[in-house]
Amino acid sequence: MNFHHIIFVFLIGLCALSCVKTTDNHERYLLEGERLYTTRPHEIRSFVGRERVKLIPYVRNAFSVSQFVVEWDDKSKVFPFQKSNEEIDSIELIVDGLQEKLHTFNVYTRDAQGNESVKVLALVSAFGEGYRSNLVPRRIQSMVHDGTDGTITWTNADEFERGSQVKYINNQNQEVIVDVDEDSDQVILENQKLDAKVEYRSFYVPLPMNQYGQESSIDKFESDWASTELPKEMISILNSVEITPITEGINLKWHNESALNIQVSIDYTLTADDGTTTEASQKSEFTTEINDTFDLIGLSLGEQEISIKVSNQLGIALSKKITVTPIPITLLESDEIKVVVLPTDEPGSAWGGSIEKLLNKTVANGDYYHTANGSYEAFPHHFTLDLGGTYDLSKLRMAPRQSCCQERNPSRVQIWGINDIEDAETTLLSNDAGWEEEAKTKGWSLLVDEEIDPSWRSKKTPYDIYIPKEASDSRYIRLRILSNFAQNPDTVLSEIYVYRF
């Protein structure tokens, strides 16, 4: 047998051996029977929950499917299924009674003959008390009570919050629960009892919305109730407020026995001559003074309602509405006021700025009073006005020059008053150290000595100097300007207005 014959015989034998093995394999499967598979889920969306989860499998053309089966750990749960008219179907599978942990689920389908699909894996967490117990309510930014209702203002909610609840007692001693949407930053507690505690809690989901805009959790988890209340010390402070009418305003006094760091503010409405209104507010500085006071100047005249609020640095505030009537004042007509040029007065003349322009009812560019150049080497300057009668004076208003030079607005002003100027002229120059003493010996009374608020520097708006009600009645007043903001030796003003009680 040559070499070629040997190779031929070997190949024939190998082929035979191979055929025998293949036949054996086929026979084995035929004995077991043909294995059929139902349609398997092509997608599973999972949702977390409270000791439970939800699985939503999606199947295509599931004509033979009659059940869905979920397996986890050593457990399983079967869910009946009925095909719809749609090409793609889905079903909600709720698995409950789960421990708080990450679970591995196998999901598959089954037909009426018991044939099953390939299993599809899903990893989903169940949440429980461990997660819930670590939740805290949405933080309160401020809490205000206006004497009738309470208002809570919240900080911004995060993406996991799903609303809050507030529980409080009303003035009829009834418990009230208010639901608050997570998009709301305020909630009104109607008719809230002032000295009762307020409880609140928030609801959360463990995961944000999924990519389809669906909630990733089928349950909300509530935080424990937290509580707060309006400090009784602040209630006492608010109740201690005393109001005294003053010129165009009111004076507040309060008692802060606990020396809390508080601020007192007043909200009010200003009414213009044409009837239009503007909402306004003024605040004191934060203070721990046991007894303190605060003047509100600039109220509209007549009876009106204002709101007084006591706040602390934590954003808690109490307020109440009260009716007040400021002491009214009357503007003296400038036609009745005359300039009296006493020998040491400064009538003014520089740049066309005469003293008569202070009383011509005009505030405009090119209309002003300006002291004479070189008439004095330095302040003070003074001039004298005859009011035409003896009045209980209340206020003097200074209007600055409009076209320029507002940095020369007066920074310190004295107002002197007298009823008779005969033999009342001072002989010393106004910048003489003995001038004030001489003025007093001549019968002049110092009505006001005021350091002007620095915020008036370089402003065109008028500035009001209030004269104490206990000051002497006067027919003649002498306005003595001791300095200006620019430290320039000129006095420059546009108009003067005088008011009486």
Side-chain angles (χ1 to χ4, degrees), residues 35-78:
R35 183 162 189 177
L36 300 177
Y37 290 91
T38 58
T39 305
R40 77 176 183 88
H42 66 268
E43 178 188 358
I44 296 179
R45 297 181 188 177
S46 58
F47 303 84
V48 303
R50 188 192 300 258
E51 297 177 354
R52 62 179 185 158
V53 301
K54 179 170 75 172
L55 305 171
I56 302 182
Y58 290 81
V59 288
R60 188 187 303 273
N61 298 322
F63 295 103
S64 64
V65 174
S66 62
Q67 293 178 341
F68 276 79
V69 182
V70 180
E71 293 179 345
W72 72 101
D73 299 335
D74 56 350
K75 304 179 182 67
S76 65
K77 189 172 182 179
V78 178

Side-chain angles (χ1 to χ4, degrees), residues 383-398:
F383 52 83
T384 306
L385 301 177
D386 179 2
L387 305 180
T390 300
Y391 297 107
D392 187 4
L393 302 178
S394 60
K395 184 175 78 172
L396 184 136
R397 171 172 289 176
M398 301 182 295

Side-chain angles (χ1 to χ4, degrees), residues 6-7 11 47 61 131 189 201 208 269 304 315 407 425-426 468:
I6 295 172
I7 294 299
L11 291 174
F47 303 84
N61 298 322
Y131 166 74
L189 311 183
R201 65 178 178 178
T269 301
Q304 59 202 276
E407 72 279 358
E425 168 57 345
T426 51

